[in-house]
Amino acid sequence: MDATYEPGTAPTSGDGPPDPWSGPTVGELGELEVLDRVTRRLPPGTPEVGPGDDCAVVAAPDGRFVVTTDMMVHGPDFRWAWSSPEDVGWKAAVTNLSDVAAMGADPTGLVVAIAAPQDTPVAVLEGVADGFRLAAAALAPGCGVVGGDLSTSSAFTLAVTAFGDLRGLAPVLRSGARPGDVLAVSGELGPAARGLARLFRDGVDEQGEPDAARVVQSGADTDPDVARQRRPVPPVADGPRAAAAGATAMLDLSDGLAIDAGRLARASGVTLGLDDRAAPAPAPDTTAADGPAPDGTAPDGTAPDGSRHGVVLDGPALHGGEDHGLLATFPAGVALPGGFRRIGVVLPRGGDDLVRGGTAVPTTGWDPYADWDGVAG
Amino acid sequence: MDATYEPGTAPTSGDGPPDPWSGPTVGELGELEVLDRVTRRLPPGTPEVGPGDDCAVVAAPDGRFVVTTDMMVHGPDFRWAWSSPEDVGWKAAVTNLSDVAAMGADPTGLVVAIAAPQDTPVAVLEGVADGFRLAAAALAPGCGVVGGDLSTSSAFTLAVTAFGDLRGLAPVLRSGARPGDVLAVSGELGPAARGLARLFRDGVDEQGEPDAARVVQSGADTDPDVARQRRPVPPVADGPRAAAAGATAMLDLSDGLAIDAGRLARASGVTLGLDDRAAPAPAPDTTAADGPAPDGTAPDGTAPDGSRHGVVLDGPALHGGEDHGLLATFPAGVALPGGFRRIGVVLPRGGDDLVRGGTAVPTTGWDPYADWDGVAG
C-alpha cells in the first residue's frame, strides 16, 4: 500500500489521555467492527431512519432543505502532528455546520464518509467520532450524524455533508446585499490564522515538517490561538438569528474576511465599505469632515447607527481564514442579533469589492490548488 | 507532494477521443477556473438554489428526504488504467442513485466532493463531470449535481451524497420482510464481477499492476462485462416502482446477492430461501416431493406464484458485487413491478440467513479494510 501518512509524525502519549495512535488497526478489525465502534460514539440525532440502511431519512419540515459538502484531507487540510483525532472531527463538523448557518438554517443532520489507511488505529476513528459528538453538543444540539461510509485510502480523508432547515424563511444568499445595508460580523476574526502561523513557526522540525513534540516544547500547545486553529467555534446559532432579523445577505468566513467579503460584494453587485475605527480621525479641514466617509463612518469614527464596537480589523482579522464566523448585511436600523457587530456599510458598486477609508482592500486569499506545496495548509 | 497515482499507468490516446491525461492541470489553473469548467458540464437539475452559495437548497415535497453517501478512492475503488474519467463519474453517480432507489425514493439531487492531485489534468475532472451528466440523463433525468467541493489529495477521491423523495410513501427498509413474502431481484447479476475478473486476468502487466494497454490488446476493452464493471446500470426507476407495489423490504446489491441477502435476512429476522431451478427436480420418492421445498419451490421447480423466470444464480450472480441491482420482498400475490423477477421466498428465521435446496448459502463478501491489498478491488 502506498502510504502518505507517517505514523512517526503523529503525537505520542505522555501523561495525557490514552494514545490513539496505538491499539488495533482498522485493517485488523475489519469494516463491521470499525463501523460499530465508530457509530456508537457519533451523535445520533433524531432522524426518522438512521445509519444501517441504504439511506437515512431526515425530516424537512418546511418542504426544503439546505445542503453543503466539504472534504478534509490529511496533508493539505490537517496534520496529525498538529491536531488530535477529536480536533479533526470537531473541525470537519463545525466547518459544515457553519455553512448551514450561513444560509440562515438550523442544522438538522450530517452524513460522514471517511477513508483511512488500513494501518490507522481504530482509536483514531473513535477520536474523530468523539470530535463530531462534542461539536454537535456544543454548537448544534440535536443535530446527529445520520449516515456514513467507511473506505480505505492512502490519505486519511473525511467528506462531510450537512443539512439544515429554513423554518419557512427564505434562504439568506450572498447576493442580497443592497446599498445602505449595514455590514456586520459574528464570531471571532483572526485567532485560527494566528494559531496556524504559530504552528508553522514553532511546531515544525528542522526540515519544516510538522512535529508534535515541538508544538508541546514551544508552548504552542497551550496557545489559545492554536486551540482555535484546532477547534474553531463558529457562531452557528447566529445564522438562524440573522435570518429571523431580516439579514439581506450572509456567508461563512472560511477563507478570511477580505476574500469572503469580496465574494459577497461581487454576488450582490455592491461595494463593501469597512469602518475605519483604527485610523486616526480625519483632520477637520479635510473634505471628509463635511460628511460621512465613503465607508459611512463619521469623522469621529462613529458608525451611522451610532455603534462603536471597536472591531479591530488588523491583518489576521482581515485576511486570516478558518475562524468560520458569519458575515452578513442587514437593513439599516435593524438591531443586530446575537453576536453580530457592525464593521461597515454596503455601498453602491464602485470599482472595488471592498474599501476602507477610500482605499481598496485586496480580496485575495487561499487557493487550494495553486497554493498548496505539500506542507503548508 | 506525496503521489500515489502514477500518470504512467493511465491510458494514453490512440485514435480515440482526446486524451484526458494531457493539457493543463488543476494546479496550474487554480480552483476558480477548475470549478467553472467542471460545474458547467454537470447536470444542473432544478434546485431552488444551486452551486455557488454556502449551501444548495433542494425541495423535499413530502417533508422528508432520504440521503446516502459513498466515497470512491483511486486504488481500492477504481483504477485509471481500467476506467476512463467518464466511467468513474458514472459509477460514482449510479452507486448512490441505487441507494436512493433502494429506499423506494426518486433521486432529487447529488452533491459531489472531489479531491485531486495537483498534477491531475483538468480534462480528467471534466470527464468525471461528463460521467455524472450521462448517468443522470440515463437513470435519473432531472436529478442534478446541486453542490460540491474541490480539494487536493495525493489519492484521487470522490465523495458523493445523494438525496431522494419518498412521494408520501414509507421508506422501504431492510427490516420489513415477512415469512411468505416473495423474494425478487431487479437488474443484472454478475456482469460487473465477471468484468472485474476479466480485468484482473487480462488487464495487468507482469507485476500484476493494472495496465491500460493490456486491456486493449487482450480485447477486454470491448467485453460487455467489462463495460458493466466500468458503468453499471442499476434499475433506479424500479425502486420507486417497488415501493408503490408494496415492497416490504429492499436493498441495493452492492456487495453481491448472497452477502446483501444476508443483510436483509438478519435485519428482518427471517431466512431467505432461493428457488433452485438450476438443480434437478427431486425424485418422486423424496419427502420433498410431498410438498414445497423449504425454499417454497415446488418439486417441479415452479414457484408458489407460478412463475418460472429462470434466473440462473451461478457463482458470479450469487457472490459478485457492483451490479447495484435491487433485492426486494413483496407480499405473496403481488404482481412484480418493472424488471423484478422472482428468485425465492421469505421463510421463518432458521439457523441460516440464506438457503437453497435446504443447504445454507454463505453470505460472506468483500470487506474494504480486511481484504484490500493495495491493488485488488
Side-chain angles (χ1 to χ4, degrees):
Chain A
M1 189 182 69
D2 301 315
T4 60
Y5 105 99
E6 304 80 31
T9 64
T12 53
S13 65
D15 301 316
D19 178 11
W21 292 96
S22 62
T25 68
V26 295
E28 289 163 359
L29 292 178
E31 183 182 19
L32 288 183
E33 171 74 12
V34 174
L35 259 179
D36 182 58
R37 289 195 187 206
V38 169
T39 303
R40 77 169 74 127
R41 301 173 89 106
L42 291 168
T46 54
E48 297 190 16
V49 175
D53 219 298
D54 293 282
C55 290
V57 181
V58 180
D62 84 350
R64 302 165 296 173
F65 62 95
V66 307
V67 54
T68 181
T69 194
D70 195 48
M71 197 182 267
M72 278 175 54
V73 182
H74 185 250
D77 297 314
F78 67 92
R79 286 278 172 159
W80 292 126
W82 286 349
S83 294
S84 72
E86 289 84 355
D87 293 337
V88 170
W90 174 288
K91 197 162 180 170
V94 305
T95 53
N96 281 279
L97 294 173
S98 177
D99 280 325
V100 168
M103 302 297 281
D106 280 320
T108 52
L110 303 162
V111 294
V112 181
I114 298 179
Q118 286 188 291
D119 58 355
T120 306
V122 69
V124 170
L125 289 183
E126 291 175 326
V128 170
D130 288 343
F132 274 94
R133 194 180 67 251
L134 293 169
L139 297 177
C143 177
V145 175
V146 301
D149 183 41
L150 282 178
S151 312
T152 53
S153 176
S154 52
F156 195 102
T157 304
L158 295 102
V160 180
T161 304
F163 316 105
D165 174 52
L166 290 163
R167 307 174 329 284
L169 299 175
V172 184
L173 307 181
R174 302 177 176 195
S175 52
R178 297 291 171 259
D181 287 350
V182 169
L183 182 67
V185 71
S186 176
E188 298 174 316
L189 295 172
R194 290 195 301 268
L196 187 62
R198 176 87 194 259
L199 288 170
F200 271 112
R201 192 187 71 205
D202 295 340
V204 294
D205 63 17
E206 285 78 4
Q207 287 74 45
E209 282 289 325
D211 185 305
R214 299 292 180 99
V215 177
V216 175
Q217 289 157 12
S218 67
D221 208 38
T222 58
D223 182 335
D225 288 336
V226 170
R228 283 300 192 254
Q229 164 59 217
R230 290 167 163 168
R231 299 196 191 188
V233 186
V236 174
D238 274 354
R241 287 185 188 124
T248 52
M250 185 155 54
L251 54 54
D252 160 53
L253 293 172
S254 52
D255 295 329
L257 176 58
I259 186 171
D260 288 318
R263 290 173 175 144
L264 192 152
R266 289 189 296 277
S268 294
V270 298
T271 290
L272 299 176
L274 294 173
D275 298 337
D276 193 10
R277 300 194 184 94
D285 60 343
T286 67
T287 53
D290 296 327
D295 66 4
T297 305
D300 69 352
T302 303
D305 67 354
S307 67
R308 296 198 64 181
H309 291 278
V311 178
V312 179
L313 296 179
D314 60 359
L318 260 183
H319 299 288
E322 300 197 284
D323 289 310
H324 297 282
L326 293 170
L327 181 70
T329 58
F330 295 88
V334 162
L336 298 181
F340 277 98
R341 297 95 70 192
R342 177 201 160 99
I343 59 167
V345 68
V346 180
L347 305 170
R349 181 71 182 172
D352 300 300
D353 298 330
L354 185 64
V355 296
R356 177 159 62 171
T359 304
V361 176
T363 55
T364 52
W366 185 74
D367 184 318
Y369 286 135
D371 296 346
W372 183 46
D373 66 2
V375 175
Chain B
M1 187 182 71
D2 301 315
T4 60
Y5 105 98
E6 304 79 33
T9 64
T12 52
S13 66
D15 301 317
D19 178 12
W21 292 96
S22 62
T25 69
V26 297
E28 289 163 359
L29 292 178
E31 183 182 19
L32 288 183
E33 172 74 12
V34 174
L35 260 179
D36 182 56
R37 289 196 187 205
V38 170
T39 303
R40 76 168 75 127
R41 302 173 88 107
L42 290 168
T46 53
E48 297 191 15
V49 175
D53 220 297
D54 293 282
C55 290
V57 181
V58 179
D62 84 350
R64 302 165 296 173
F65 62 96
V66 307
V67 54
T68 181
T69 193
D70 196 48
M71 197 181 268
M72 278 175 54
V73 182
H74 185 250
D77 297 315
F78 68 92
R79 285 277 173 160
W80 291 127
W82 286 349
S83 295
S84 71
E86 289 83 356
D87 294 337
V88 170
W90 174 288
K91 197 162 180 171
V94 305
T95 53
N96 282 279
L97 294 174
S98 177
D99 280 325
V100 168
M103 302 298 281
D106 281 320
T108 52
L110 303 161
V111 295
V112 181
I114 298 179
Q118 286 188 291
D119 58 355
T120 306
V122 70
V124 171
L125 289 183
E126 291 175 327
V128 170
D130 288 343
F132 274 94
R133 195 180 64 251
L134 293 169
L139 297 177
C143 177
V145 175
V146 301
D149 183 40
L150 282 178
S151 312
T152 53
S153 176
S154 52
F156 195 102
T157 305
L158 296 101
V160 180
T161 304
F163 316 104
D165 174 52
L166 290 163
R167 308 174 327 285
L169 299 174
V172 184
L173 307 181
R174 302 178 175 193
S175 53
R178 297 291 171 261
D181 288 349
V182 169
L183 182 67
V185 70
S186 176
E188 298 174 316
L189 295 172
R194 289 195 302 267
L196 187 62
R198 176 87 194 259
L199 289 170
F200 271 112
R201 192 186 72 206
D202 296 339
V204 294
D205 63 18
E206 285 78 4
Q207 287 74 46
E209 282 289 326
D211 185 306
R214 299 292 181 99
V215 177
V216 175
Q217 289 157 12
S218 67
D221 209 38
T222 58
D223 182 334
D225 289 336
V226 170
R228 284 299 192 255
Q229 164 58 219
R230 290 167 163 169
R231 299 196 190 187
V233 186
V236 174
D238 274 354
R241 287 185 187 123
T248 52
M250 185 155 53
L251 54 54
D252 160 54
L253 293 172
S254 53
D255 295 330
L257 175 58
I259 186 170
D260 288 317
R263 290 174 176 144
L264 192 153
R266 290 188 297 276
S268 294
V270 298
T271 291
L272 299 177
L274 294 173
D275 299 338
D276 193 11
R277 299 193 186 94
D285 59 343
T286 65
T287 52
D290 297 326
D295 65 4
T297 305
D300 70 351
T302 303
D305 67 354
S307 66
R308 295 198 64 180
H309 291 277
V311 178
V312 179
L313 296 178
D314 60 359
L318 261 182
H319 299 288
E322 301 197 282
D323 289 310
H324 297 283
L326 293 170
L327 182 70
T329 58
F330 296 88
V334 162
L336 298 181
F340 278 98
R341 297 95 70 191
R342 177 199 159 99
I343 59 167
V345 67
V346 180
L347 304 171
R349 180 72 182 171
D352 300 301
D353 297 330
L354 184 65
V355 296
R356 176 159 63 171
T359 305
V361 177
T363 55
T364 52
W366 186 74
D367 183 318
Y369 286 135
D371 296 347
W372 183 47
D373 67 2
V375 174

